[in-house]
């Protein structure tokens, strides 16, 4: 393939940073909802599954959370086709509207005491709408940020998406903690739990405004294969890129297990299993996530310096070796010791949060990136994300061991370590597969001009793939 200078994407670094903020806000709203559901799971279980034995109320609440994830792949397919046909921007604007409205609806739902069996049914429907929209949100946001970022800063800028995740979760934990502090248990159970969900509506309006002012990604607009982009069927994609799909699916697995364990399961673990109470659980969750924000940014930046593979392996090895220790520390009835356990988990989770948003889109070629990433990510999220709180709750209930979640966490990370050690090649400081480089300064532009074969490094790999 002949190198064409005019196809090199010169991006505005300052504008890119503003775009990352706008995109991250949508992710913050998504995880604001997930965080609220996690922080208030005990109260939700009483209001929507109050006729069940107490020991299975919480498991039923997380079962709804898990079952709703079934529609995520459907949402991913729908929004990825929309994004391939009309651009990445329209997906990001549409999904944030759906998320905000469905979260508002959850706060207005009647309870099981008011309408009986219809209450958990409506809860499931609302969660399914949220999951459908989320199916297009996260993969679309990852792809968009990866495609607008300078290649040498893709890790750092991609970490902004997960900073949005943590910010939304922190807001949820802080808000719920405040409400637990100012309201009685009876007030929280009766009506106080609704207020945080209702607040999501104005947040959504802000997000829509910011996203409507985004530009389309340059990689989408100047894709080398723009005429070919819709020619590949999913059968063709799985046949030709099966190795990439295995790597991506594995990355989605350990990222989501860590994410949903800390952000969705941990508040209930601290509140119900460790018996810290709602206020203290919210405080510790907030402190842990706040400490993760600079760590996430650091690991995103660091991956641009040392390579994203090395950064990922650090996190995988850490979880494989120290998960049992972390949960053992958290099972000891001492706040300082519990914090030590939480911070061990937070450290290694920060490596994934910092680097995976830039890694997952870089695994695939531009012509199949959004469709394939959406499908693989959402299937993986449904299995390893939505089910994680339910699996971990069930493990504790069936084994009677407070450290039981660490067994699942260790297993997933050992598998991830083997796959990424032998099947993944670093993609840091390289152009995205199927696209010309993204640069933001004259020095990098000149370097690209002087090394055209390096700029199109992926062309050789693509040419050797068997069709």
């Amino acid at each position: 393939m002949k190198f064409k200078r005019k196809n090199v994407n010169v991006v505005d670094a300052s504008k890119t940073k503003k775009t990352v903020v706008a995109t991250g806000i949508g992710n913050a709203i998504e995880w604001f909802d997930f965080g609220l559901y996690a922080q208030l799971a005990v109260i939700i279980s009483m209001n929507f599954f109050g006729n069940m034995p107490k020991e299975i109320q919480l498991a039923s609440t997380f079962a709804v959370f898990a079952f709703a994830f079934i529609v995520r792949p459907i949402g991913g397919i729908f929004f990825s086709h929309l994004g391939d046909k009309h651009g990445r921007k329209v997906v990001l604007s549409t999904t944030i509207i759906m998320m905000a409205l469905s979260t508002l609806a959850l706060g207005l739902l009647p309870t099981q005491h008011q309408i009986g069996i219809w209450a958990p049914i409506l809860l499931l429907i609302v969660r399914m709408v949220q999951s459908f929209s989320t199916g297009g949100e996260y993969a679309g946001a990852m792809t968009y940020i990866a495609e607008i970022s300078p290649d040498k800063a893709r890790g750092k800028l991609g970490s902004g998406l997960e900073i949005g995740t943590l910010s939304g979760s922190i807001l949820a934990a802080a808000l719920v903690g405040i409400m637990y502090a100012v309201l009685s248990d009876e007030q929280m159970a009766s009506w106080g739990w609704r207020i945080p969900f209702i607040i999501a509506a104005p947040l959504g309006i802000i997000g829509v405004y910011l996203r409507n002012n985004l530009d389309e990604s340059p990689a989408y607009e100047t894709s080398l294969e723009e005429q070919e982009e819709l020619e590949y069927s999913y059968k063709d994609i799985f046949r030709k890129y099966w190795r990439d799909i295995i790597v991506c699916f594995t990355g989605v697995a350990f990222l989501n297990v860590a994410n949903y364990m800390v952000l969705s399961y941990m508040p209930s673990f601290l509140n119900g299993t460790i018996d810290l109470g709602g206020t203290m659980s919210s405080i510790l969750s907030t402190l842990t996530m706040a400490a993760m924000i600079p760590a996430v940014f650091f690991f995103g930046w660091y991956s641009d310096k040392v390579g994203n593979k090395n950064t990922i392996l650090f996190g995988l090895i850490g979880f494989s070796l120290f998960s049992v220790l972390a949960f053992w520390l958290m099972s000891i009835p001492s706040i300082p010791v519990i914090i030590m356990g939480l911070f061990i988990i937070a450290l290694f989770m920060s490596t994934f949060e910092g680097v995976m948003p830039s890694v997952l889109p870089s695994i695939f070629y531009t012509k199949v990136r959004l469709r394939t990433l959406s499908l693989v990510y959402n299937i993986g999220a449904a299995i390893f994300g939505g089910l994680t709180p339910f699996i971990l709750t069930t493990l504790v209930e069936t084994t009677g061991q407070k450290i039981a979640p660490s067994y699942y966490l260790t297993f997933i990370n050992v598998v991830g370590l083997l796959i990424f050690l032998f099947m993944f090649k670093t993609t840091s400081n390289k152009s995205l597969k199927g696209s010309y480089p993204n640069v933001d300064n004259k020095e990098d532009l000149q370097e690209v001009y002087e090394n055209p074969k390096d700029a199109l490094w992926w062309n050789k790999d693509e040419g050797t793939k068997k069709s």
Side-chain angles (χ1 to χ4, degrees):
M1 179 178 293
K2 185 178 180 181
F3 179 83
K4 299 178 181 178
R5 289 191 172 197
K6 66 178 182 178
N7 283 349
V8 177
N9 302 307
V10 180
V11 297
D12 185 334
S14 60
K15 196 171 185 179
T16 300
K17 292 176 183 177
K18 294 178 181 178
T19 302
V20 170
V21 172
T23 308
I25 285 176
N27 209 43
I29 293 173
E30 172 190 343
W31 281 93
F32 177 67
D33 164 61
F34 286 160
L36 291 178
Y37 197 88
Q39 297 286 342
L40 296 167
V42 174
I43 292 178
I44 292 173
S45 67
M46 292 187 295
N47 276 293
F48 290 87
F49 300 97
N51 61 332
M52 294 183 177
K54 188 174 181 179
E55 59 269 18
I56 65 172
Q57 288 179 7
L58 187 60
S60 298
T61 301
F62 282 129
V64 167
F65 185 83
F67 189 78
F69 272 68
I70 290 175
V71 301
R72 274 192 70 152
I74 301 173
I77 293 172
F78 173 81
F79 285 112
S80 64
H81 278 286
L82 184 68
D84 282 340
K85 189 173 182 179
H86 299 290
R88 315 317 196 195
K89 176 181 170 180
V90 65
V91 171
L92 298 179
S93 297
T94 304
T95 54
I96 198 172
I97 294 173
M98 292 182 66
M99 284 193 300
L101 291 178
S102 54
T103 303
L104 170 64
L106 197 155
L108 300 175
L109 287 179
T111 64
Q112 189 257 340
H113 175 72
Q114 294 170 314
I115 61 171
I117 188 63
W118 285 104
I121 292 174
L122 289 175
L123 176 66
L124 177 60
I125 291 172
V126 169
R127 291 296 316 173
M128 291 177 75
V129 173
Q130 289 171 327
S131 290
F132 181 82
S133 60
T134 303
E137 166 66 27
Y138 193 70
M142 279 193 295
T143 298
Y144 185 78
I145 291 178
E147 290 181 346
I148 65 168
S149 298
D151 296 328
K152 291 187 176 181
R154 194 159 56 234
K156 179 180 69 175
L157 292 172
S159 69
L161 191 60
E162 289 301 332
I163 290 174
T165 293
L166 291 168
S167 299
S169 300
I170 289 171
L171 178 61
L175 183 58
V176 171
I178 291 171
M179 298 199 68
Y180 269 122
V182 300
L183 298 178
S184 66
D185 290 344
E186 292 75 16
Q187 289 173 321
M188 279 294 293
S190 176
W191 53 268
W193 66 273
R194 298 181 181 276
I195 295 175
F197 290 105
I198 295 173
I199 291 175
L203 291 178
I205 294 173
I206 296 171
V208 171
Y209 172 78
L210 291 173
R211 287 190 171 184
N212 278 338
N213 290 287
L214 296 177
D215 294 327
E216 192 53 78
S217 80
Y220 172 78
E221 291 187 323
T222 63
S223 170
L224 300 180
E225 306 88 2
E226 58 185 345
Q227 297 303 319
E228 300 176 29
E229 188 150 2
L230 297 177
E231 291 180 7
Y232 277 84
S233 66
Y234 283 110
K235 181 180 179 181
D236 293 332
I237 291 171
F238 275 84
R239 178 171 53 84
K240 189 170 185 178
Y241 301 106
W242 62 272
R243 287 181 180 273
D244 295 340
I245 289 170
I246 289 174
V247 173
C248 181
F249 186 78
T250 304
V252 170
F254 61 71
L255 172 65
N256 277 272
V257 168
N259 258 345
Y260 285 87
M261 182 195 68
V262 173
L263 304 181
S264 295
Y265 171 72
M266 197 59 70
S268 297
F269 175 78
L270 296 174
N271 186 358
T273 306
I274 306 299
D275 294 323
L276 290 182
T279 302
M280 182 56 67
S281 298
S282 296
I283 290 172
L284 291 185
S285 296
T286 303
L287 289 175
T288 302
M289 290 182 289
M292 285 179 62
I293 287 180
V296 167
F297 180 79
F298 169 79
F299 283 116
W301 169 85
Y302 191 62
S303 71
D304 290 325
K305 306 301 178 184
V306 303
N308 46 32
K309 180 173 182 175
N310 291 332
T311 310
I312 293 169
L313 293 180
F314 172 75
L316 291 168
I317 293 171
F319 268 131
S320 299
L321 293 178
F322 297 108
S323 293
V324 174
L325 172 63
F327 271 86
W328 177 75
L329 291 171
M330 286 187 285
S331 67
I332 296 174
S334 167
I335 296 299
V337 178
I338 291 172
I339 291 174
M340 287 174 59
L342 282 171
F343 273 51
I344 290 174
I345 295 291
L347 171 65
F348 297 117
M349 179 178 162
S350 296
T351 64
F352 301 159
E353 298 257 315
V355 72
M356 294 307 288
S358 61
V359 168
L360 296 177
S362 73
I363 293 172
F364 299 112
Y365 284 79
T366 302
K367 60 190 173 187
V368 299
R369 180 174 301 125
L370 183 53
R371 283 182 294 154
T372 313
L373 180 56
S374 291
L375 184 64
V376 175
Y377 186 88
N378 287 300
I379 291 176
I383 298 172
F384 296 101
L387 279 175
T388 289
F390 176 73
I391 290 173
L392 300 185
T393 303
T394 304
L395 278 174
V396 172
E397 293 292 335
T398 55
T399 64
Q401 299 181 29
K402 294 179 180 180
I403 67 169
S406 66
Y407 306 149
Y408 183 63
L409 185 61
T410 301
F411 172 75
I412 292 294
N413 280 273
V414 168
V415 173
L417 177 61
L418 294 174
I419 295 294
F420 267 71
L421 186 61
F422 296 108
M423 294 184 66
F424 177 70
K425 295 179 180 179
T426 187
T427 56
S428 296
N429 299 306
K430 297 179 180 179
S431 60
L432 291 170
K433 293 180 180 179
S435 295
Y436 274 80
N438 284 1
V439 299
D440 65 348
N441 59 72
K442 292 182 179 179
E443 290 78 12
D444 289 345
L445 182 62
Q446 187 60 36
E447 182 181 341
V448 170
Y449 289 161
E450 293 174 357
N451 301 280
K453 289 185 178 180
D454 291 341
L456 301 184
W457 64 274
W458 47 264
N459 195 38
K460 181 178 179 181
D461 289 346
E462 175 72 342
T464 57
K465 284 182 179 285
K466 294 181 179 180
S467 300

